[in-house]
Short mmCIF file of all heavy atoms in Angstrom, two decimals:
data_model
loop_
_atom_site.label_atom_id
_atom_site.label_comp_id
_atom_site.label_asym_id
_atom_site.label_seq_id
_atom_site.Cartn_x
_atom_site.Cartn_y
_atom_site.Cartn_z
N MET A 233 -14.10 -6.25 -12.43
CA MET A 233 -13.06 -5.88 -13.35
C MET A 233 -12.65 -7.13 -14.12
O MET A 233 -12.56 -8.22 -13.54
CB MET A 233 -11.88 -5.28 -12.59
CG MET A 233 -10.68 -4.97 -13.46
SD MET A 233 -9.45 -4.05 -12.58
CE MET A 233 -9.23 -2.74 -13.71
N GLU A 234 -12.40 -6.96 -15.40
CA GLU A 234 -12.07 -8.10 -16.25
C GLU A 234 -10.66 -8.61 -15.94
O GLU A 234 -9.77 -7.84 -15.59
CB GLU A 234 -12.14 -7.71 -17.73
CG GLU A 234 -13.51 -7.27 -18.20
CD GLU A 234 -13.76 -5.80 -17.98
OE1 GLU A 234 -12.78 -5.03 -17.85
OE2 GLU A 234 -14.92 -5.40 -17.92
N GLN A 235 -10.50 -9.92 -16.08
CA GLN A 235 -9.23 -10.56 -15.76
C GLN A 235 -8.08 -10.02 -16.62
O GLN A 235 -6.96 -9.86 -16.14
CB GLN A 235 -9.35 -12.08 -15.92
CG GLN A 235 -8.10 -12.84 -15.50
CD GLN A 235 -7.75 -12.65 -14.03
OE1 GLN A 235 -8.63 -12.66 -13.17
NE2 GLN A 235 -6.48 -12.44 -13.75
N HIS A 236 -8.34 -9.72 -17.90
CA HIS A 236 -7.27 -9.23 -18.75
C HIS A 236 -6.72 -7.90 -18.26
O HIS A 236 -5.53 -7.60 -18.43
CB HIS A 236 -7.70 -9.15 -20.23
CG HIS A 236 -8.72 -8.10 -20.53
ND1 HIS A 236 -8.38 -6.82 -20.85
CD2 HIS A 236 -10.08 -8.14 -20.52
CE1 HIS A 236 -9.48 -6.12 -21.06
NE2 HIS A 236 -10.53 -6.89 -20.85
N LYS A 237 -7.57 -7.09 -17.62
CA LYS A 237 -7.10 -5.81 -17.08
C LYS A 237 -6.24 -6.04 -15.84
O LYS A 237 -5.23 -5.36 -15.64
CB LYS A 237 -8.28 -4.89 -16.75
CG LYS A 237 -8.98 -4.35 -17.97
CD LYS A 237 -10.07 -3.39 -17.60
CE LYS A 237 -10.75 -2.83 -18.84
NZ LYS A 237 -11.80 -1.85 -18.48
N ILE A 238 -6.62 -6.99 -15.02
CA ILE A 238 -5.81 -7.34 -13.84
C ILE A 238 -4.46 -7.89 -14.28
O ILE A 238 -3.42 -7.54 -13.72
CB ILE A 238 -6.57 -8.35 -12.95
CG1 ILE A 238 -7.82 -7.68 -12.37
CG2 ILE A 238 -5.66 -8.86 -11.82
CD1 ILE A 238 -8.76 -8.62 -11.65
N ASP A 239 -4.48 -8.72 -15.33
CA ASP A 239 -3.22 -9.25 -15.87
C ASP A 239 -2.33 -8.12 -16.37
O ASP A 239 -1.11 -8.14 -16.17
CB ASP A 239 -3.49 -10.25 -16.99
CG ASP A 239 -4.17 -11.51 -16.50
OD1 ASP A 239 -4.12 -11.81 -15.29
OD2 ASP A 239 -4.77 -12.21 -17.35
N ARG A 240 -2.93 -7.12 -17.00
CA ARG A 240 -2.17 -5.99 -17.52
C ARG A 240 -1.57 -5.17 -16.37
O ARG A 240 -0.43 -4.72 -16.44
CB ARG A 240 -3.05 -5.10 -18.41
CG ARG A 240 -2.34 -3.92 -19.01
CD ARG A 240 -1.25 -4.32 -19.98
NE ARG A 240 -0.63 -3.12 -20.54
CZ ARG A 240 0.61 -3.05 -20.97
NH1 ARG A 240 1.37 -4.12 -20.97
NH2 ARG A 240 1.09 -1.93 -21.45
N ILE A 241 -2.31 -5.00 -15.29
CA ILE A 241 -1.79 -4.31 -14.10
C ILE A 241 -0.55 -5.04 -13.59
O ILE A 241 0.47 -4.42 -13.28
CB ILE A 241 -2.85 -4.21 -12.99
CG1 ILE A 241 -3.98 -3.28 -13.39
CG2 ILE A 241 -2.23 -3.75 -11.67
CD1 ILE A 241 -5.17 -3.31 -12.45
N ASN A 242 -0.63 -6.35 -13.52
CA ASN A 242 0.49 -7.15 -13.04
C ASN A 242 1.69 -7.07 -13.98
O ASN A 242 2.84 -7.00 -13.53
CB ASN A 242 0.06 -8.60 -12.82
CG ASN A 242 -0.90 -8.73 -11.65
OD1 ASN A 242 -0.83 -7.96 -10.70
ND2 ASN A 242 -1.79 -9.70 -11.73
N GLU A 243 1.43 -7.08 -15.28
CA GLU A 243 2.52 -6.93 -16.26
C GLU A 243 3.23 -5.60 -16.07
O GLU A 243 4.47 -5.54 -16.07
CB GLU A 243 1.98 -7.00 -17.68
CG GLU A 243 1.53 -8.34 -18.16
CD GLU A 243 0.83 -8.27 -19.52
OE1 GLU A 243 1.04 -7.27 -20.25
OE2 GLU A 243 0.08 -9.20 -19.84
N LEU A 244 2.46 -4.53 -15.94
CA LEU A 244 3.04 -3.21 -15.78
C LEU A 244 3.80 -3.09 -14.45
O LEU A 244 4.86 -2.44 -14.39
CB LEU A 244 1.96 -2.13 -15.88
CG LEU A 244 1.34 -1.96 -17.27
CD1 LEU A 244 0.13 -1.04 -17.20
CD2 LEU A 244 2.35 -1.43 -18.27
N ALA A 245 3.29 -3.70 -13.40
CA ALA A 245 3.98 -3.66 -12.11
C ALA A 245 5.32 -4.37 -12.20
O ALA A 245 6.34 -3.88 -11.68
CB ALA A 245 3.10 -4.30 -11.03
N LYS A 246 5.35 -5.52 -12.87
CA LYS A 246 6.59 -6.27 -13.02
C LYS A 246 7.60 -5.47 -13.85
O LYS A 246 8.78 -5.37 -13.51
CB LYS A 246 6.31 -7.62 -13.68
CG LYS A 246 7.53 -8.50 -13.78
CD LYS A 246 7.18 -9.86 -14.36
CE LYS A 246 8.42 -10.74 -14.45
NZ LYS A 246 8.10 -12.05 -15.00
N LYS A 247 7.12 -4.87 -14.93
CA LYS A 247 8.00 -4.08 -15.79
C LYS A 247 8.52 -2.86 -15.03
O LYS A 247 9.68 -2.48 -15.17
CB LYS A 247 7.27 -3.64 -17.06
CG LYS A 247 8.17 -2.91 -18.05
CD LYS A 247 7.46 -2.59 -19.34
CE LYS A 247 8.43 -1.84 -20.27
NZ LYS A 247 7.76 -1.37 -21.47
N HIS A 248 7.68 -2.26 -14.21
CA HIS A 248 8.08 -1.09 -13.42
C HIS A 248 9.23 -1.45 -12.49
O HIS A 248 10.17 -0.66 -12.30
CB HIS A 248 6.88 -0.57 -12.62
CG HIS A 248 7.20 0.56 -11.71
ND1 HIS A 248 7.53 1.81 -12.15
CD2 HIS A 248 7.24 0.63 -10.35
CE1 HIS A 248 7.77 2.60 -11.11
NE2 HIS A 248 7.59 1.90 -10.01
N LYS A 249 9.18 -2.65 -11.91
CA LYS A 249 10.22 -3.09 -10.98
C LYS A 249 11.52 -3.46 -11.69
O LYS A 249 12.58 -3.38 -11.09
CB LYS A 249 9.73 -4.28 -10.17
CG LYS A 249 8.64 -3.92 -9.18
CD LYS A 249 8.17 -5.15 -8.44
CE LYS A 249 7.03 -4.81 -7.50
NZ LYS A 249 6.55 -5.99 -6.79
N THR A 250 11.43 -3.88 -12.95
CA THR A 250 12.63 -4.35 -13.64
C THR A 250 13.27 -3.28 -14.51
O THR A 250 14.41 -2.88 -14.26
CB THR A 250 12.31 -5.60 -14.49
OG1 THR A 250 11.26 -5.30 -15.41
CG2 THR A 250 11.90 -6.77 -13.61
N VAL A 251 12.57 -2.80 -15.53
CA VAL A 251 13.18 -1.88 -16.49
C VAL A 251 12.58 -0.49 -16.47
O VAL A 251 13.13 0.42 -17.07
CB VAL A 251 13.11 -2.44 -17.94
CG1 VAL A 251 13.92 -3.72 -18.05
CG2 VAL A 251 11.69 -2.66 -18.38
N GLY A 252 11.47 -0.30 -15.80
CA GLY A 252 10.82 1.01 -15.76
C GLY A 252 9.73 1.13 -16.80
O GLY A 252 9.62 0.31 -17.71
N LEU A 253 8.93 2.17 -16.65
CA LEU A 253 7.79 2.39 -17.54
C LEU A 253 7.95 3.69 -18.31
O LEU A 253 8.58 4.63 -17.83
CB LEU A 253 6.49 2.48 -16.72
CG LEU A 253 6.09 1.26 -15.90
CD1 LEU A 253 4.87 1.59 -15.06
CD2 LEU A 253 5.82 0.07 -16.78
N THR A 254 7.36 3.71 -19.49
CA THR A 254 7.29 4.96 -20.25
C THR A 254 6.18 5.81 -19.64
O THR A 254 5.41 5.34 -18.80
CB THR A 254 6.96 4.69 -21.73
OG1 THR A 254 5.65 4.14 -21.81
CG2 THR A 254 7.97 3.74 -22.37
N GLU A 255 6.08 7.05 -20.04
CA GLU A 255 5.03 7.93 -19.54
C GLU A 255 3.64 7.38 -19.87
O GLU A 255 2.73 7.44 -19.04
CB GLU A 255 5.18 9.34 -20.11
CG GLU A 255 6.35 10.11 -19.54
CD GLU A 255 6.21 10.38 -18.05
OE1 GLU A 255 5.08 10.65 -17.59
OE2 GLU A 255 7.23 10.29 -17.35
N GLU A 256 3.49 6.83 -21.07
CA GLU A 256 2.19 6.26 -21.48
C GLU A 256 1.84 5.05 -20.63
O GLU A 256 0.70 4.88 -20.20
CB GLU A 256 2.20 5.86 -22.96
CG GLU A 256 2.34 7.02 -23.92
CD GLU A 256 3.78 7.48 -24.12
OE1 GLU A 256 4.72 6.71 -23.83
OE2 GLU A 256 3.97 8.63 -24.55
N GLU A 257 2.82 4.20 -20.36
CA GLU A 257 2.57 3.01 -19.53
C GLU A 257 2.27 3.42 -18.09
O GLU A 257 1.42 2.80 -17.44
CB GLU A 257 3.78 2.08 -19.58
CG GLU A 257 3.96 1.39 -20.92
CD GLU A 257 5.27 0.65 -21.03
OE1 GLU A 257 6.28 1.06 -20.40
OE2 GLU A 257 5.29 -0.37 -21.76
N HIS A 258 2.96 4.43 -17.61
CA HIS A 258 2.70 4.91 -16.25
C HIS A 258 1.26 5.43 -16.14
O HIS A 258 0.56 5.13 -15.16
CB HIS A 258 3.69 6.01 -15.88
CG HIS A 258 3.54 6.49 -14.47
ND1 HIS A 258 3.84 5.72 -13.38
CD2 HIS A 258 3.07 7.67 -13.99
CE1 HIS A 258 3.57 6.40 -12.28
NE2 HIS A 258 3.10 7.59 -12.63
N ALA A 259 0.81 6.18 -17.13
CA ALA A 259 -0.57 6.70 -17.12
C ALA A 259 -1.58 5.55 -17.22
O ALA A 259 -2.61 5.56 -16.53
CB ALA A 259 -0.76 7.67 -18.28
N GLU A 260 -1.28 4.56 -18.06
CA GLU A 260 -2.16 3.39 -18.18
C GLU A 260 -2.24 2.64 -16.86
O GLU A 260 -3.32 2.24 -16.42
CB GLU A 260 -1.64 2.46 -19.29
CG GLU A 260 -2.47 1.21 -19.45
CD GLU A 260 -1.86 0.20 -20.42
OE1 GLU A 260 -0.72 0.40 -20.88
OE2 GLU A 260 -2.55 -0.80 -20.70
N ARG A 261 -1.10 2.46 -16.22
CA ARG A 261 -1.05 1.75 -14.94
C ARG A 261 -1.87 2.49 -13.88
O ARG A 261 -2.64 1.88 -13.14
CB ARG A 261 0.40 1.62 -14.48
CG ARG A 261 0.57 0.93 -13.15
CD ARG A 261 2.04 0.87 -12.79
NE ARG A 261 2.21 0.17 -11.53
CZ ARG A 261 3.12 0.48 -10.62
NH1 ARG A 261 3.96 1.46 -10.86
NH2 ARG A 261 3.21 -0.17 -9.50
N LYS A 262 -1.73 3.80 -13.86
CA LYS A 262 -2.47 4.61 -12.89
C LYS A 262 -3.98 4.51 -13.12
O LYS A 262 -4.76 4.34 -12.18
CB LYS A 262 -2.01 6.06 -12.98
CG LYS A 262 -2.57 6.95 -11.91
CD LYS A 262 -1.98 8.34 -11.98
CE LYS A 262 -2.55 9.22 -10.88
NZ LYS A 262 -1.96 10.55 -10.89
N ALA A 263 -4.40 4.57 -14.38
CA ALA A 263 -5.83 4.49 -14.71
C ALA A 263 -6.39 3.10 -14.38
O ALA A 263 -7.49 2.98 -13.83
CB ALA A 263 -6.05 4.80 -16.19
N LEU A 264 -5.63 2.06 -14.70
CA LEU A 264 -6.08 0.70 -14.40
C LEU A 264 -6.15 0.48 -12.89
O LEU A 264 -7.09 -0.17 -12.40
CB LEU A 264 -5.16 -0.33 -15.04
CG LEU A 264 -5.27 -0.50 -16.54
CD1 LEU A 264 -4.13 -1.36 -17.07
CD2 LEU A 264 -6.61 -1.11 -16.93
N HIS A 265 -5.19 1.00 -12.18
CA HIS A 265 -5.19 0.85 -10.72
C HIS A 265 -6.40 1.55 -10.11
O HIS A 265 -7.07 1.01 -9.23
CB HIS A 265 -3.89 1.42 -10.13
CG HIS A 265 -3.78 1.22 -8.66
ND1 HIS A 265 -4.09 2.20 -7.76
CD2 HIS A 265 -3.41 0.13 -7.94
CE1 HIS A 265 -3.92 1.74 -6.54
NE2 HIS A 265 -3.51 0.48 -6.61
N ARG A 266 -6.72 2.76 -10.59
CA ARG A 266 -7.89 3.48 -10.09
C ARG A 266 -9.18 2.69 -10.36
O ARG A 266 -10.06 2.59 -9.51
CB ARG A 266 -7.95 4.87 -10.75
CG ARG A 266 -9.16 5.71 -10.37
CD ARG A 266 -9.01 6.38 -9.02
NE ARG A 266 -9.45 5.46 -7.96
CZ ARG A 266 -9.19 5.62 -6.67
NH1 ARG A 266 -8.52 6.62 -6.23
NH2 ARG A 266 -9.61 4.75 -5.79
N GLU A 267 -9.28 2.12 -11.56
CA GLU A 267 -10.45 1.32 -11.91
C GLU A 267 -10.56 0.10 -11.00
O GLU A 267 -11.65 -0.26 -10.55
CB GLU A 267 -10.35 0.88 -13.37
CG GLU A 267 -11.56 0.13 -13.87
CD GLU A 267 -11.46 -0.27 -15.33
OE1 GLU A 267 -10.64 0.31 -16.08
OE2 GLU A 267 -12.23 -1.17 -15.73
N TYR A 268 -9.42 -0.52 -10.70
CA TYR A 268 -9.41 -1.70 -9.82
C TYR A 268 -9.86 -1.32 -8.41
O TYR A 268 -10.71 -1.99 -7.82
CB TYR A 268 -8.00 -2.30 -9.78
CG TYR A 268 -7.88 -3.46 -8.83
CD1 TYR A 268 -8.38 -4.72 -9.16
CD2 TYR A 268 -7.29 -3.30 -7.58
CE1 TYR A 268 -8.28 -5.79 -8.27
CE2 TYR A 268 -7.18 -4.36 -6.70
CZ TYR A 268 -7.68 -5.59 -7.04
OH TYR A 268 -7.59 -6.65 -6.17
N VAL A 269 -9.32 -0.24 -7.88
CA VAL A 269 -9.69 0.20 -6.53
C VAL A 269 -11.17 0.54 -6.46
O VAL A 269 -11.87 0.14 -5.52
CB VAL A 269 -8.82 1.40 -6.09
CG1 VAL A 269 -9.35 2.04 -4.82
CG2 VAL A 269 -7.37 0.96 -5.89
N ASP A 270 -11.68 1.24 -7.47
CA ASP A 270 -13.11 1.58 -7.51
C ASP A 270 -13.97 0.32 -7.56
O ASP A 270 -15.03 0.26 -6.93
CB ASP A 270 -13.42 2.48 -8.71
CG ASP A 270 -12.82 3.87 -8.55
OD1 ASP A 270 -12.44 4.26 -7.43
OD2 ASP A 270 -12.73 4.59 -9.58
N SER A 271 -13.51 -0.67 -8.29
CA SER A 271 -14.24 -1.94 -8.40
C SER A 271 -14.30 -2.65 -7.04
O SER A 271 -15.35 -3.14 -6.63
CB SER A 271 -13.57 -2.83 -9.44
OG SER A 271 -14.11 -4.12 -9.44
N VAL A 272 -13.17 -2.70 -6.35
CA VAL A 272 -13.12 -3.36 -5.04
C VAL A 272 -13.98 -2.62 -4.03
O VAL A 272 -14.75 -3.24 -3.28
CB VAL A 272 -11.66 -3.47 -4.55
CG1 VAL A 272 -11.60 -3.92 -3.10
CG2 VAL A 272 -10.88 -4.44 -5.43
N LEU A 273 -13.89 -1.29 -4.01
CA LEU A 273 -14.71 -0.51 -3.08
C LEU A 273 -16.20 -0.65 -3.37
O LEU A 273 -17.01 -0.75 -2.45
CB LEU A 273 -14.30 0.96 -3.13
CG LEU A 273 -12.95 1.31 -2.52
CD1 LEU A 273 -12.63 2.78 -2.73
CD2 LEU A 273 -12.91 0.95 -1.05
N GLY A 274 -16.57 -0.69 -4.64
CA GLY A 274 -17.97 -0.88 -5.00
C GLY A 274 -18.50 -2.22 -4.53
O GLY A 274 -19.62 -2.33 -4.02
N SER A 275 -17.67 -3.24 -4.69
CA SER A 275 -18.06 -4.57 -4.24
C SER A 275 -18.22 -4.61 -2.72
O SER A 275 -19.18 -5.18 -2.20
CB SER A 275 -17.01 -5.59 -4.69
OG SER A 275 -17.32 -6.87 -4.22
N LEU A 276 -17.28 -4.01 -2.02
CA LEU A 276 -17.34 -3.97 -0.56
C LEU A 276 -18.59 -3.23 -0.08
O LEU A 276 -19.29 -3.69 0.82
CB LEU A 276 -16.09 -3.31 0.01
CG LEU A 276 -16.04 -3.14 1.52
CD1 LEU A 276 -16.11 -4.49 2.23
CD2 LEU A 276 -14.77 -2.41 1.91
N LYS A 277 -18.88 -2.09 -0.69
CA LYS A 277 -20.07 -1.33 -0.32
C LYS A 277 -21.34 -2.13 -0.57
O LYS A 277 -22.28 -2.10 0.22
CB LYS A 277 -20.13 -0.01 -1.08
CG LYS A 277 -19.12 1.00 -0.59
CD LYS A 277 -19.15 2.27 -1.41
CE LYS A 277 -18.05 3.23 -0.95
NZ LYS A 277 -17.98 4.43 -1.78
N GLY A 278 -21.36 -2.89 -1.67
CA GLY A 278 -22.50 -3.74 -1.96
C GLY A 278 -22.72 -4.80 -0.90
O GLY A 278 -23.85 -5.08 -0.48
N HIS A 279 -21.62 -5.40 -0.45
CA HIS A 279 -21.72 -6.40 0.61
C HIS A 279 -22.20 -5.78 1.92
O HIS A 279 -23.05 -6.34 2.61
CB HIS A 279 -20.37 -7.09 0.84
CG HIS A 279 -20.02 -8.08 -0.21
ND1 HIS A 279 -20.68 -9.28 -0.37
CD2 HIS A 279 -19.06 -8.06 -1.16
CE1 HIS A 279 -20.16 -9.94 -1.38
NE2 HIS A 279 -19.16 -9.21 -1.89
N LEU A 280 -21.64 -4.63 2.26
CA LEU A 280 -22.04 -3.99 3.51
C LEU A 280 -23.47 -3.50 3.48
O LEU A 280 -24.15 -3.50 4.51
CB LEU A 280 -21.09 -2.83 3.83
CG LEU A 280 -19.67 -3.24 4.21
CD1 LEU A 280 -18.80 -2.00 4.38
CD2 LEU A 280 -19.65 -4.09 5.46
N ASP A 281 -23.97 -3.11 2.31
CA ASP A 281 -25.37 -2.69 2.19
C ASP A 281 -26.33 -3.83 2.46
O ASP A 281 -27.49 -3.61 2.79
CB ASP A 281 -25.65 -2.10 0.82
CG ASP A 281 -25.04 -0.73 0.63
OD1 ASP A 281 -24.69 -0.08 1.64
OD2 ASP A 281 -24.92 -0.29 -0.53
N ASN A 282 -25.85 -5.06 2.32
CA ASN A 282 -26.70 -6.23 2.54
C ASN A 282 -26.30 -7.00 3.79
O ASN A 282 -26.51 -8.20 3.89
CB ASN A 282 -26.65 -7.15 1.32
CG ASN A 282 -27.29 -6.50 0.11
OD1 ASN A 282 -28.42 -6.06 0.17
ND2 ASN A 282 -26.55 -6.41 -0.97
N THR A 283 -25.68 -6.31 4.75
CA THR A 283 -25.23 -6.94 5.99
C THR A 283 -26.14 -6.53 7.13
O THR A 283 -26.50 -5.36 7.26
CB THR A 283 -23.78 -6.52 6.31
OG1 THR A 283 -22.95 -6.91 5.22
CG2 THR A 283 -23.29 -7.19 7.57
N TYR A 284 -26.49 -7.48 7.95
CA TYR A 284 -27.37 -7.25 9.09
C TYR A 284 -26.70 -7.74 10.37
O TYR A 284 -25.96 -8.72 10.35
CB TYR A 284 -28.70 -7.99 8.93
CG TYR A 284 -29.54 -7.47 7.80
CD1 TYR A 284 -29.35 -7.91 6.49
CD2 TYR A 284 -30.53 -6.53 8.03
CE1 TYR A 284 -30.12 -7.43 5.45
CE2 TYR A 284 -31.31 -6.03 6.99
CZ TYR A 284 -31.10 -6.49 5.71
OH TYR A 284 -31.85 -5.99 4.68
N MET A 285 -26.96 -7.04 11.46
CA MET A 285 -26.53 -7.48 12.79
C MET A 285 -27.70 -8.27 13.39
O MET A 285 -28.85 -7.87 13.26
CB MET A 285 -26.22 -6.27 13.68
CG MET A 285 -25.09 -5.41 13.17
SD MET A 285 -23.50 -6.21 13.24
CE MET A 285 -23.25 -6.28 15.00
N VAL A 286 -27.36 -9.37 14.05
CA VAL A 286 -28.39 -10.19 14.69
C VAL A 286 -28.13 -10.16 16.19
O VAL A 286 -27.03 -10.51 16.65
CB VAL A 286 -28.37 -11.64 14.17
CG1 VAL A 286 -29.44 -12.48 14.84
CG2 VAL A 286 -28.53 -11.66 12.65
N ASP A 287 -29.13 -9.73 16.97
CA ASP A 287 -28.95 -9.69 18.42
C ASP A 287 -29.23 -11.05 19.04
O ASP A 287 -29.55 -12.02 18.34
CB ASP A 287 -29.79 -8.57 19.04
CG ASP A 287 -31.29 -8.80 18.92
OD1 ASP A 287 -31.72 -9.92 18.61
OD2 ASP A 287 -32.05 -7.82 19.13
N GLU A 288 -29.10 -11.12 20.37
CA GLU A 288 -29.26 -12.40 21.07
C GLU A 288 -30.67 -12.97 20.96
O GLU A 288 -30.89 -14.16 21.15
CB GLU A 288 -28.85 -12.25 22.54
CG GLU A 288 -29.64 -11.25 23.34
CD GLU A 288 -29.16 -9.81 23.19
OE1 GLU A 288 -28.11 -9.56 22.59
OE2 GLU A 288 -29.88 -8.93 23.65
N LYS A 289 -31.66 -12.11 20.64
CA LYS A 289 -33.03 -12.57 20.47
C LYS A 289 -33.33 -12.98 19.03
O LYS A 289 -34.43 -13.41 18.72
CB LYS A 289 -34.01 -11.47 20.90
CG LYS A 289 -33.92 -11.14 22.37
CD LYS A 289 -34.89 -10.05 22.74
CE LYS A 289 -34.77 -9.70 24.21
NZ LYS A 289 -35.68 -8.61 24.56
N GLY A 290 -32.37 -12.81 18.15
CA GLY A 290 -32.56 -13.18 16.76
C GLY A 290 -33.11 -12.07 15.89
O GLY A 290 -33.45 -12.29 14.72
N ASN A 291 -33.22 -10.88 16.44
CA ASN A 291 -33.71 -9.73 15.66
C ASN A 291 -32.62 -9.21 14.73
O ASN A 291 -31.48 -9.02 15.15
CB ASN A 291 -34.16 -8.60 16.59
CG ASN A 291 -35.29 -9.04 17.50
OD1 ASN A 291 -36.19 -9.75 17.08
ND2 ASN A 291 -35.23 -8.62 18.75
N LYS A 292 -32.99 -8.98 13.48
CA LYS A 292 -32.05 -8.46 12.50
C LYS A 292 -32.15 -6.95 12.43
O LYS A 292 -33.24 -6.40 12.41
CB LYS A 292 -32.33 -9.03 11.11
CG LYS A 292 -32.06 -10.50 10.98
CD LYS A 292 -32.32 -10.96 9.55
CE LYS A 292 -32.06 -12.44 9.41
NZ LYS A 292 -32.32 -12.88 8.02
N THR A 293 -30.98 -6.30 12.40
CA THR A 293 -30.91 -4.85 12.25
C THR A 293 -29.93 -4.54 11.14
O THR A 293 -28.79 -5.00 11.17
CB THR A 293 -30.43 -4.17 13.56
OG1 THR A 293 -31.27 -4.59 14.62
CG2 THR A 293 -30.44 -2.67 13.44
N LYS A 294 -30.37 -3.76 10.18
CA LYS A 294 -29.51 -3.39 9.07
C LYS A 294 -28.41 -2.45 9.57
O LYS A 294 -28.66 -1.59 10.40
CB LYS A 294 -30.32 -2.72 7.96
CG LYS A 294 -29.54 -2.50 6.69
CD LYS A 294 -30.45 -2.14 5.55
CE LYS A 294 -29.62 -1.98 4.32
NZ LYS A 294 -30.07 -2.70 3.20
N LEU A 295 -27.20 -2.62 9.05
CA LEU A 295 -26.11 -1.73 9.41
C LEU A 295 -26.42 -0.32 8.93
O LEU A 295 -26.97 -0.13 7.86
CB LEU A 295 -24.80 -2.20 8.78
CG LEU A 295 -24.17 -3.45 9.34
CD1 LEU A 295 -22.87 -3.75 8.60
CD2 LEU A 295 -23.89 -3.32 10.82
N LYS A 296 -26.04 0.66 9.72
CA LYS A 296 -26.25 2.05 9.36
C LYS A 296 -24.92 2.68 9.04
O LYS A 296 -23.88 2.30 9.59
CB LYS A 296 -26.90 2.80 10.51
CG LYS A 296 -28.28 2.30 10.87
CD LYS A 296 -28.85 3.04 12.04
CE LYS A 296 -30.19 2.45 12.42
NZ LYS A 296 -30.73 3.08 13.62
N LYS A 297 -24.95 3.67 8.15
CA LYS A 297 -23.72 4.40 7.83
C LYS A 297 -23.33 5.25 9.03
O LYS A 297 -24.17 5.84 9.69
CB LYS A 297 -23.92 5.30 6.61
CG LYS A 297 -24.07 4.53 5.33
CD LYS A 297 -24.15 5.48 4.15
CE LYS A 297 -24.27 4.68 2.87
NZ LYS A 297 -24.30 5.54 1.69
N LYS A 298 -22.03 5.30 9.27
CA LYS A 298 -21.52 6.12 10.35
C LYS A 298 -21.62 7.59 9.93
O LYS A 298 -21.24 7.96 8.84
CB LYS A 298 -20.08 5.76 10.62
CG LYS A 298 -19.51 6.35 11.86
CD LYS A 298 -18.13 5.80 12.12
CE LYS A 298 -17.58 6.31 13.42
NZ LYS A 298 -16.25 5.76 13.70
N GLU A 299 -22.16 8.42 10.82
CA GLU A 299 -22.31 9.84 10.52
C GLU A 299 -20.96 10.53 10.58
O GLU A 299 -20.11 10.18 11.38
CB GLU A 299 -23.26 10.49 11.52
CG GLU A 299 -24.69 10.00 11.40
CD GLU A 299 -25.61 10.70 12.36
OE1 GLU A 299 -25.29 11.83 12.79
OE2 GLU A 299 -26.65 10.13 12.67
N ASP A 300 -20.77 11.52 9.71
CA ASP A 300 -19.55 12.32 9.73
C ASP A 300 -19.55 13.18 10.99
O ASP A 300 -20.58 13.72 11.38
CB ASP A 300 -19.46 13.22 8.50
CG ASP A 300 -19.26 12.41 7.23
OD1 ASP A 300 -18.69 11.31 7.31
OD2 ASP A 300 -19.67 12.88 6.17
N ARG A 301 -18.40 13.30 11.58
CA ARG A 301 -18.31 14.09 12.82
C ARG A 301 -17.70 15.42 12.56
O ARG A 301 -16.99 15.76 11.84
CB ARG A 301 -17.48 13.33 13.85
CG ARG A 301 -18.19 12.07 14.26
CD ARG A 301 -17.37 11.28 15.23
NE ARG A 301 -18.02 9.99 15.41
CZ ARG A 301 -17.82 9.23 16.42
NH1 ARG A 301 -16.99 9.59 17.36
NH2 ARG A 301 -18.43 8.08 16.53
#
């Protein structure tokens, strides 16, 4: 996510705490927040996809997704 969008999220959060937001600003804040969360989750999933467990013998095993129960 671009830094200017993160800065805008912070500006809107500060304004929300002090004077409040208009409906348009509230919608913008919600959309930017969703984009930020999606960006963080995508990055985390990328890291986990490239993570391996190493046993005591030095064997690497790729992490597996947990099955839904």
